[in-house]
Structure formats: C-alpha cells, structure tokens
Amino acid sequence: MTKPNSLLTQPNSPGLNQASARRTPLSDTQYAAGLRIFQNCTAYRDFIVPQLSRSETVLACLPGHLIRRIKRYVAYEPNDVFAEILEGSMGTEEVLPCLNLAAQVHRTSFDLETSTGDEKFDLILFCHSMSDMKPSHASITRALSMLTQHGIVVVFHRDGTLDFGSLVCTQTASFPTGLVCMADIDAVLDDFAAFIAGGSSEDAARAIWRELCRSFGVRRHDQLSFSAPEVMYAFNCHATSLSELTDLVLVVKEDRAIKNREARLQRPAAIARPTDTRQVQQCVQWVLRNEFSLTVIGGGHGGHCLKGNVFAVDMSAFDKVHLTAVEKTEEGREGIGKNLGALVVAEAGSTTGDIIRKTMAAGLTVPLGSRPTVGAGLWLQGGIGHLSRLHGLSCDAIIGTILVSVASGQILCVGHVPEQHIPRGAVRPANEADLLWAVKGAGTNFGIVMSVTFKAYPAPVYSTRNWVVPLADEAEALLQIRKFDTLVARDLDQKCSADACLYCKDHRLHLGVAVIEAYNSNFTRVLLTPAFEADIWGSGSDIKTVDGFGLFETEIYVYGMHGGHAGGKSSAFKRCIFLKNIGDKKIASRLVAAIKAQPSQFCYLHMIQGGGAVGDIAEEATAFGCRDWEYACVITGVWPREEGDDSELARSVKQWVYNVAEDLLPLSCGAYDPSNVLAHACPFPAASKLKLIILVTGEICAGKDHRAYKEQHRLALTAYFEEQVRQRPLLPDEHFLDMVHNAVGVDVLLITGIRDNAPVASFSHLVPECRLIEVNVCASENTRCMRRGSGEDNHDNDVDLTQMNYRPDLIFNNDETGDDAAQMFAESYLLPFLHSDLNLLAEMVREVPNFPRSGIDFRHVLGIAHQAGGLALCTDLLESRFPGDWAKIGAIACCGIGGIAFASALALRVDVPLPTSYISAMLSSSSEEALIEVERDVIPKGRPAVVIDDVLSSGSTLCALLDLLITAGVAAENIDVMVIAEFPVHRGRELLRNRGFGTIRVQSLLVVEGV
Ligand SMILES: Cc1cc2nc3c(=O)[nH]c(=O)nc-3n(C[C@H](O)[C@H](O)[C@H](O)COP(=O)(O)OP(=O)(O)OC[C@H]3O[C@@H](n4cnc5c(N)ncnc54)[C@H](O)[C@@H]3O)c2cc1C
C-alpha cells in the first residue's frame, strides 16, 4: 500500500482554500459528524488519542484505582453535541464515582479570560482541535498556572500545526503513520472535507472538495485513507522555566545547519550550546530537576536530534580530536587489550572527517563510515564502513568514554580515558563495565557523551575498482546478484570489502559493484591478483588509489549513478536491514522486485559487505549484538530536492522504503533502527508479557525459611505497616503494582509474604491483563512449632484459615521436608495455567470493535461455541480443571444463554443433570435488573453443585444465581463456580466476597483484559 497523502497536514492547499472561499461556519452537528469520522477510524486506536477514539468515555477507560482518584472534573466544550454527551456521562456516579463536587461542563472554549479562578488540577487535557485557542502557547501557559505541584498538561494534536514557543516538554510521543480512513461516499466526504476546511460550502464547492479528497486520498476497495500524523506533548509546571538556564549557557532557538531534513522540520523548545563540560552538566541537572526530556545534536545527520518542544543540547563546540602517544601496556581494566597502542580521543562534536584528517596526519586511522560530515551518532550506535571487515565496527574501537549521566547528572569516566582528558569531578560509576558495554552500540541512551577514546590503527591506502553491469531482465539480475555474492564477496580477503548497488538507469536495471582494498606496506594486494583479473565482469573501471580522505571523494558508482543523484540536489530517506545469502533466489528476487516498484528513478539498494572482524566479536560482547550478517542493505529512497519533502513523491518514496524493509525483514538477520537501537540491534528476547502472578499467603512458620529475627520484629512491623495503610489506604495497591512493574520480561511472578486478606479479590483489577491466583501454604501445628524452633505453641500472630471469610484458589500442604511435594504441586496445579490449550481458547475469543457502542471492544466469549472445535475444547477444559469428583455432583447450574451453551455440553459429557434456570422477565425496560428462576426441588438435597457461566464481570448475575442455589438448599461450601472468561477490571470477585460468597471457589479458564 502506498502511503496516503496528508490532506490533514495541508489544510491550506490552494484547491481547498479556493473551494472554501464562501464557506459558512460549521454547526455543532456538522462538526460532530466530521469528528465521528475520526472516532470510527481504527488506525487511531493504538495511539494515545483518546479524544478521537473514545471521546465520551476517555476517563471511564482508566483503571478503577485511578478513576477513584478523580475528585473534581471540569470541562470546556464549545460544541453543544459533545457538551451534552459529557454532561450525560460525567455526571453519573458510574463513570466518576468519587467526585467531591458535581462535574462541571462549560459550553465554551477554554479561554484566557473566562477560565480564571484559583482552582488547581492534577491533569489538564487539551483534546480535539486547539483552533479556537490562539495563540496556543498562551492557552497552555494559562493551563500550567492551574496545575498542582505534580500536575501535567497533556496536548493531543495533529502533528506540525502547533507552535508552543519556548515551553519545554516533559514527554512527547508521536504517531507519524496515523491514518484516517472513510467510506468513499459523497455524504461522508462532504462531512470530512467541511470538518478539515472548518466550514461548510455551497453545492458547487462541495463537488470540488470531493474531487480533492479523492485525488489526495489513497483508495483501497471502497475506502479512502489519508495520512494523519498525531503527536502528544506533556508539560509539567516547570515548562516555562527556560530562563533559569539562559544565565548559565548560551541558548538559541534555531540551530546551525542540521543536515537531516526531518529533524530540521521540528521546532525544539530551545537549543543550548555549551562550551565546557560543566555547562553540559548544568543543562542535564536543569533537565533532571524539572523532569524534562532532552535530545543531543552530534553531526545532525539523524532524524532524532531535534524534537518538537523538547530541549536540545548542541555539541558542536566540542569538535577537537586528540592523539595520545603510544601507551604502555595496561593490565586489569575490563575489555581492553594488553597493548593499547595509539589512542584517539574524539570529542562529541567532531565529525568523521575531523577524525580521519587528524589521524591520517599521524599515519593512523579509526574505522568509521563513508561520509565525512557524519558525527557521534555513527560511532555511538555501531558504525559500518570500509574498514569494518578488517577492524570491526566503529563502536568496537571504543575503549573508553566520558559522559554526563542523564540519570544522575554526574560526569562519568568509563573504561580507558587518557588521564589528561578526564575532566575534573568525573567519577567512575559502579556499573562501569556495563556502561562501556552499552556505549558500544547503544551509546545514545545513557547520557550526553562528551568524548570517546578509540583504539587507532595504522592508516592504509585504498584501492578501488568498480563494475557497472546492465541487467537485461529479472533472470539476469538474479544471476548477477548470485555471481556477486558467491564469486566476488563470499571468499573475499578481510582487507577488502565488496559493495553492490541495485538501481535503475534509463528504465533499465543495473548492478553496480565496488571492491575496496585497504593495504599498507604490511599487506599483499588482493585486487591485483589473477582472481580479480578473472572473467566475471571483465577488468572493471580503472583501479584508483586514494588515501582515507580521498576515499570520501572517490566517485565510485554509488555517487556517480543517476547522474550523481539528480545532480547532487536530492533528498534521501534510508533504513538498514541486515541480510545473508543475497544470491539466494528468494532474497534476490525481492531485491529486484523492490527496485521495480520504486516510485522515483533515483532509489537504490546499497549492500555494504559485513563479515570478517564484525562477526569475530561475540554477540553479547557489546550492545551492538547483531553480528551474524553478510550485508547491511541500506534501502535508500531518493527524490529531487526541488520536489519538496512534503510532496507526494517524497511521501511515496518514504513509504517505499518502509515497504521494502517490511518485505525483507522476515528474511533478515536483524535491522538497524537508530530510533530504537536496543530493540533492533541487540538480540534481546522480546519482552514477555506477564502471564501469571502467584500470591503466596500462609500461616506463620508454614514456610520452610522461618527466621527468628523476622518473628522478633513482626508485631512492630505489622503495627507500623497498618498505621501507614491507615494514612495511605492505597499503599497495598501501590506495593503490589511496584512489584508487578519491576517484573520486566517475566512470565510468572511469585510474590511471597502476602498478608492481605483475600488478595485476589483486592488486587486482580489492578492487573486485568494477567491471571492472579493465591496459593495458601499451610502446615500442621506440630510442624510449625518445630520450624519456630521453640517447641512452644505461640499462636499470637497466626492466621486462622477457618476464620477467613474467603477461599484461597489453592492450598499447599507444606508439612513434608524437601522439594518433592512442592514440585508435584506445581506440576499438577500451577503449570496447567500456562497450558497451550488456554492460548488456543483465548484466540477463539473474537474482538468486535465499537460494539455495542463506540469505544467498546466487545469480546465475543459465547462465539467460542460457534467456532470449529471451540465447544469441545471448552468442555474438555471445564471437565479436566474441576478439582472435585464429577460423580458426586448433584447438578450443574447456569443462567442465561451464555451459561447454557457451555453448561449443557459439559452436563452431557460428565453426565450430571442440568436443572433449567431461566431469566424470567425484565422488571422494567429502564432497569437492568432481571428475575432468575429455577424449578423447585431439582437439585438433590445435600449434593454439591457446579455453576457454569460464560463470563464473570461485575459478578451481579452470579451473586443472584448463588442466592438462588442457597435458597434452593445447596450449602455454600458445596458450590463451585467455573466461568469461561473473567474480566477482572469489573471486580466481580470483590462483589462476591462483599455479598458473603467469598468462600465459594471461583475458577476462570481465561482472564481477559478490557471492559
Ligand atoms: C549521508 C549519510 C551517510 C551515512 N553513512 C554511514 C556509514 O557509512 N556508516 C554508518 O554506520 N552509518 C552511516 N550513516 C548513518 C549515520 O551513522 C546515523 O544517521 C547517525 O546517527 C548520524 O549521527 P550524527 O551525529 O551525524 O547525527 P545526529 O542526528 O546529531 O545524532 C544521531 C543520534 O545520536 C545522538 N547523539 C549525537 N551525539 C550524541 C552525544 N554526544 N551523546 C549522546 N547522544 C548523541 C543524537 O541525539 C541522535 O539521536 C549515514 C547517514 C547519512 C545521512
């Protein structure tokens, strides 16, 4: 799919303006109709645009513990349609149950004059359009003055259309690939165009608008889609504090020439230009004090050195490169060889060209990249060049660094840094070895790097030899790519690197090949050997011999093709994918197909050879863990600069780059994404989602690790904790969530020492995405006395299970010594929670977006029964997971259509009667109450019953059914409940417990996130 055009970021397009010349302001209903098009647009659901996807219910979507923190709600909504919705929903206790004062909805815009008052708020959201609030930074500044000490103002908006002046952001997020999609129907397009233009128009103009929409939008089936990038800015109450810094450091608004055009489009809050380490430290300390974000500008070639309203630090003043004399042998420091040889200290504002020029003068070099203007971002994030096969990546040559930590503001000295280049006040951090590891590949993530120390190598001279091979058709292209891979590159000496470039010229595919050999007096030259005179593509262009600086200038095929990239006046957008075996037909044909699909004749695929020293380093030795590749394939989208960066051509070229990357990714060994180096360059396992939390409760000394000192202070600690909870009732929730949030990359979390009563009922709504179970550990009194070591029977602190008014999910008898019993227990009762059958079942729960109303994603649990094998799987699971004996069960009870579907299949399977219960009548159409009835005497006296239901959400239906069973003579201890899916967010277990059913065992096959 090509990327749709951004009609949304071009509201001033001449066509639209011309057509809008006689537009009348939108009525509230017309405005609402336009906005609903965005609301129904699924592409926004993944992003933080709640105002667009769930305008009425944004707060209702918060987890319960946050909702209960909302004591005051005030809204400014000039549109009557939405104001009415807000008044209806926010006024109700169901949405905001803990308001101290009634919700207030002002039917007007938030404006500087009317919205006065001294009231303070924790959260101020600017949603929808800010078009009524001009200038926008003044409205934000006004809102900032209404914040509590730790409050934040959050703005959600279309990207590229707001100017917040010098307000400094604490956080930003962007959604550049946002799409708005709609049916290609006149009426829908009329609503949409009027919304974008900000007014409705006469019939004739409407027809022009429709045409404009159709020409701008990308059609897919009967849908039109438009690019709609979105951003979020969060400001805290310090957002206006830039003046605190301006006395200390030179601060400017615009930067020197940032080379990357995407970055150049961003409007940072301010750019500091420090000139010494102390000033950099002051910048970081100011950022930390005010909880801001920051970016760093190195060579300015990356797309992330500037961000909208984020504070930036420009390192251009630190542009020196220092050479140190040959060092003596150094022992002992992590990661450095014995003989360090010559070292190069490159300050962070220096460029590739600065380093090469300085080192070459001393007969030395550092393995860097192919362009002289590229800066520190290259060596901090990897760095691939013509010496990589011989000496490794640029980051592999780093042996030390000085950085200002963005965690502490301290100046850190890491690894080997020559004494004279260690600034005053620098400290060696405790995690020094880890930091050195991290800087080698992910160096932009931990602080502002002031300088790095490189190992230097003897400077070589380079021979280059080029071939340009015109390709008649696809078959020939595949053949030549295979020749390049297998005959030229595969067995190439490590001193050489072979690059290939696939491109089109005069509508014909071409393969350009360059072999570059690095040599000095120590090496025998490879390019002059008979193998390279052999008949692959003939002798090629003349062999040129250049030095390290000359290599930048060498007109090898990449710079010469297409007439030198549109005469050198071009813009480019690149992404890099690591590949092996490009001669393999599967990969080669995708490369050829990519070039055939290029939207501009200037695009190309550049395969830079890896292997050699790159792969000699172990994957886990540096943060650049992706080592096992043969080619870095740089997918390069190019368009003539005169077309403009926001032109249709530029957008489709970028989309082409993304498409090709997506297509090659499954065949690749990894990808290099500078915005997410850790995620892509390191083969870390993907963060796993927490699946199961086991809360271990139990009587004192029921565990095997009884410690006397714990007992000695238990009473005092318990009293202290209870007092804390009295002062901060949500403390247990906070402790629990802290533990969960710290469990990164964990599948199963075990939390021991839980003393809370009925912890599953209390905490499960806090983690609605995973299953929470309680295992109560018990032991006989004798065992506990023995473990206590006193022989005395001191019961003071014991929890008496019989006194508990709830039932733990599982009870483990811990009388035996050794691990066998625990292992058997885990295998029999805990591992089944992770069984793949449950995943299979979960996949059968279909999601129905926007049902029964907008903003609700309905989970169709009953739909399991409609799917092939669904009912049988459910029945198997219900049958096998029931902990009791089916033969003893007197009845299976259920209620409603959902319960009956599953209960009847189970009843047949286990041969237990299914007495008919039914919802007899709705009491009134406005009430949600219903009457549940069951035939008299259908449940045999004294026999247990199992309740089967499809869903446990709020628990009210289940409570009614349990009431009915108990009235019908079934004792509570004889009832088990099994449900197919539980939605913990509705706190059903808590309701059951509050209604006196806490001792009834409730099991759910699935735990489902969502409402
Ligand atoms: C024309 C061109 C040629 C290229 N050739 C090669 C090549 O041959 N080999 C190769 O591997 N790559 C190459 N690249 C990719 C290049 O390495 C990356 O784009 C790199 O991030 C650019 O670094 P920079 O310092 O110039 O850019 P910047 O945008 O200034 O920095 C890039 C990133 O590094 C961060 N950063 C910069 N300085 C510091 C610092 N002191 N402390 C902490 N973070 C910092 C920035 O915040 C930003 O996130 C090339 C790119 C271009 C545009």
Side-chain angles (χ1 to χ4, degrees), residues 952-1005:
L952 168 58
S953 53
S954 73
S956 46
T957 312
L958 192 52
C959 282
L961 189 57
L962 292 173
D963 267 335
L964 192 67
L965 286 177
I966 288 171
T967 314
V970 188
E973 62 272 20
N974 272 343
I975 303 177
D976 259 276
V977 175
M978 299 183 82
V979 297
I980 310 303
E982 175 175 353
F983 292 74
V985 79
H986 295 291
R987 312 177 78 158
R989 285 179 190 258
E990 203 173 316
L991 185 80
L992 286 171
R993 187 159 173 260
N994 292 342
R995 297 265 177 95
F997 301 122
T999 55
I1000 293 177
R1001 178 169 35 216
V1002 179
Q1003 269 198 77
S1004 41
L1005 296 182

Side-chain angles (χ1 to χ4, degrees), residues 256 258-260 263 294-306 313 315 347-352 368-386 388 393-394 402-404 443-451 559 572 574 576 606 608 624 634 672 674-675:
R256 65 189 171 121
I258 294 278
K259 316 223 175 29
N260 185 288
L294 67 77
T295 62
V296 188
I297 307 169
H301 272 293
H304 303 277
C305 58
L306 288 182
V313 180
M315 300 300 283
E347 292 182 1
S350 58
T351 61
T352 300
L368 295 170
S370 60
R371 300 307 302 145
T373 48
V374 174
L378 181 141
W379 46 91
L380 294 176
Q381 299 176 100
I384 303 165
H386 296 303
S388 298
L393 301 173
S394 309
I402 298 291
L403 74 155
V404 177
T444 57
N445 294 284
F446 303 93
I448 301 190
V449 172
M450 299 301 307
S451 66
Y559 309 112
K574 310 178 184 188
C576 178
H606 187 184
I608 305 166
F624 198 106
V634 185
Y672 178 76
S675 65

